[in-house]
Amino acid sequence: MKSFIACCFFIIAVTHLNAQAKPATLTEEQKIIQLITYVKNLKGAVFIRNGSEHSATEAAAHLEKKRKNAGKAIKTATDFISLCATKSSMSGEDYKIRFSDGKVFRSADLLNKELNRIQNSSTK
């Protein structure tokens, strides 16, 4: 009987600790991967880079390539957005995303908004 009661107290204690545990905070690497995945999954969106239009898949591949080329300069997801996903390093033109409804947004604005969503959902 004592072992049964001890077992019950143990289960209650573990359940209580798990209920209070906060989810693990995402690493900067995980945030960057989520941003690239977000871009890749924007079906029907057109990415405009240096006057040329690209699919979501092509845009994600381009961002991944820029990230790789930037190397150690990218330490945070914010670095990734500002150094890789904001504008062309060739022309200086902002990257833009046009949705199927015709609305056009700067990629930096959308990615910063998505980063805020990611950070807020990982801390709840």
Side-chain angles (χ1 to χ4, degrees), residues 44 97-105:
I97 301 171
R98 185 178 65 237
F99 289 92
S100 57
D101 64 2
K103 291 182 181 174
V104 178
F105 298 91

Side-chain angles (χ1 to χ4, degrees), residues 41-123:
N41 290 330
L42 287 175
K43 303 299 178 210
V46 174
F47 292 78
I48 304 164
R49 187 178 85 238
N50 293 325
S52 298
E53 296 183 355
H54 303 274
S55 70
T57 303
E58 292 168 333
H62 179 73
L63 294 177
E64 188 68 63
K65 180 180 175 185
K66 280 188 78 172
R67 175 183 176 222
K68 183 180 176 184
N69 290 341
K72 292 183 180 185
I74 307 296
K75 291 178 179 45
T76 67
T78 302
D79 292 342
F80 168 74
I81 293 170
S82 65
L83 298 174
C84 299
T86 297
K87 63 184 178 181
S88 169
S89 55
M90 291 174 46
S91 69
E93 289 182 46
D94 286 342
Y95 291 155
K96 294 185 178 136
I97 301 171
R98 185 178 65 237
F99 289 92
S100 57
D101 64 2
K103 291 182 181 174
V104 178
F105 298 91
R106 291 177 346 122
S107 65
D109 296 337
L110 289 176
L111 290 176
N112 280 311
K113 183 178 178 181
E114 179 62 10
L115 178 59
N116 285 333
R117 188 199 65 75
I118 290 167
Q119 291 172 330
N120 288 335
S121 67
S122 73
T123 57

